Amino acid sequence: MLTIKCAACKRKLWKYDKIGHGQVLRCHKARIKRHYDYRTADNKILCVCGKQIGVDKGSFIKMIAKMFVYTGQKRHG
Ligand SMILES: [Zn+2]
């Protein structure tokens, strides 16, 4: 499980069940297991500090590289 955090302020955003060792390009909503502090505005996913983390694409969030960091382990697919 990964803990996704804002790169700017390091706040926790959500916990994500990442399968496989690839880059985190998308977060599928069905695999977001815990929600922390973030908000949505139109289709933007924003940290409470105001930085945009990703774009809401419906079933998944398209992540913006360099706007987030993560800790934890990816799961073997
Ligand atoms: Zn932030």
Side-chain angles (χ1 to χ4, degrees):
M1 193 74 69
L2 301 181
T3 299
I4 307 288
K5 299 178 183 180
C6 174
C9 73
K10 308 295 196 255
R11 280 186 181 86
K12 292 179 185 177
L13 300 168
W14 57 79
K15 278 191 189 290
Y16 185 57
D17 184 16
K18 171 77 170 87
I19 299 170
H21 292 285
Q23 288 180 272
V24 180
L25 302 175
R26 297 174 172 188
C27 284
H28 295 273
K29 290 179 182 176
R31 298 211 300 269
I32 294 176
K33 301 302 183 187
R34 184 165 175 183
H35 300 264
Y36 298 105
D37 282 344
Y38 64 92
R39 59 195 176 85
T40 57
D42 298 322
N43 64 341
K44 296 176 183 173
I45 305 294
L46 303 166
C47 179
V48 294
C49 76
K51 298 288 187 185
Q52 188 179 357
I53 305 300
V55 181
D56 190 333
K57 293 288 194 180
S59 65
F60 65 90
I61 298 164
K62 183 174 186 288
M63 302 299 286
I64 300 173
K66 298 180 182 162
M67 298 308 287
F68 70 99
V69 294
Y70 59 81
T71 56
Q73 298 293 320
K74 297 171 184 174
R75 182 151 65 93
H76 292 269

